[in-house]
Amino acid sequence: MTSEHRKPALFGGSEFEAFKGGEDPAQISRLAHDTASALLGRVRADPDPGVIDRLIEYTDLHGIDAIAELWSRASSHSLPGALWRIYLLRALIRQDPEQSSYLFQKGSELSITIDPVVAGATSPTGPKEITDLADQILRGIFDGDFAVALERAAAFCRIMSLGTAAEADDTESDSAERASEFTVRANRFAETASEFAICAKLWRTDSLD
């Protein structure tokens, strides 16, 4: 990772839905896998709380683009792809914790599954609670059961998808364009939830590279 100090990059809905990066040659792909494996392996072998704190706060200091340079172009069903999505999810929440907590709370109230329990958010979920949850999920990949952390992230995204889709319905009569944006975002959350769930299953069978 670069040591250059950079301000955190701000990502809107469109970036979440379509961030892809540039070319994806084999060398960059191998670098993504090697760095993800080395970082995760080293930290999980000796989960020093101070080191984990710095990893969690890394994008706050250097920007999400520093992580994107390494992992954003990896397959969604890979270790670097999973790490990228965890970091991106946290960045999106911290960028707008008010809206994120509103949509999460809305989704939690609509959910008929155990997803709110799996995600582990405090209820009611306000801006502080949702940013704390994002940190807890990210921390879990370093000092907890990695598959559980991914399953929590998947549950979180399913709840966000529910809340965002409901918001799309509620805003349809006022602004079709805004409703369409929420619908696209809800679909992206649902897709990301599926990606996290697949990665969790692959991790449990030692197949997540």
Side-chain angles (χ1 to χ4, degrees):
M1 294 181 186
T2 178
S3 60
E4 180 184 358
H5 181 83
R6 287 186 264 182
K7 293 182 179 180
L10 296 181
F11 279 70
S14 60
E15 286 85 353
F16 180 47
E17 286 123 29
F19 190 95
K20 293 184 182 299
E23 297 296 326
D24 187 21
Q27 186 175 1
I28 294 178
S29 176
R30 190 67 262 161
L31 177 64
H33 287 262
D34 289 348
T35 54
S37 179
L39 174 65
L40 195 66
R42 178 174 297 182
V43 177
R44 289 178 66 83
D46 182 20
D48 180 88
V51 172
I52 295 173
D53 286 343
R54 289 195 292 274
L55 286 171
I56 291 173
E57 297 167 358
Y58 184 86
T59 54
D60 300 339
L61 299 174
H62 302 282
I64 191 67
D65 53 336
I67 297 293
E69 289 173 6
L70 284 176
W71 299 331
S72 67
R73 287 166 280 182
S75 165
S76 60
H77 301 154
S78 69
L79 180 58
L83 291 175
W84 157 245
R85 282 160 179 76
I86 290 279
Y87 270 103
L88 179 58
L89 186 63
R90 178 181 180 273
L92 288 164
I93 293 166
R94 291 181 67 85
Q95 181 178 320
D96 192 348
E98 288 78 13
Q99 185 182 73
S100 295
S101 59
Y102 168 75
L103 294 174
F104 184 89
Q105 183 65 37
K106 193 167 191 171
S108 296
E109 292 169 358
L110 292 171
S111 178
I112 58 173
T113 70
I114 63 170
D115 279 341
V117 176
V118 174
T122 302
S123 183
T125 308
K128 181 182 184 303
E129 288 77 16
I130 204 162
T131 53
D132 287 347
L133 176 60
D135 287 351
Q136 291 168 16
I137 291 174
L138 180 55
R139 179 177 289 276
I141 71 175
F142 294 118
D143 66 357
D145 187 316
F146 189 84
V148 169
L150 293 177
E151 288 165 350
R152 290 183 69 184
F156 179 93
C157 287
R158 285 191 292 267
I159 293 169
M160 290 294 289
S161 180
L162 273 177
T164 308
E167 189 68 10
D169 292 339
D170 291 345
T171 58
E172 177 68 35
S173 59
D174 296 326
S175 172
E177 181 179 357
R178 186 65 172 156
S180 178
E181 292 174 0
F182 277 121
T183 298
V184 171
R185 197 176 304 181
N187 290 338
R188 187 67 185 94
F189 273 120
E191 179 183 343
T192 304
S194 177
E195 292 164 350
F196 280 136
I198 290 172
C199 286
K201 291 179 181 178
L202 290 172
W203 177 265
R204 292 191 188 281
T205 59
D206 295 322
S207 303
L208 187 65
D209 177 25

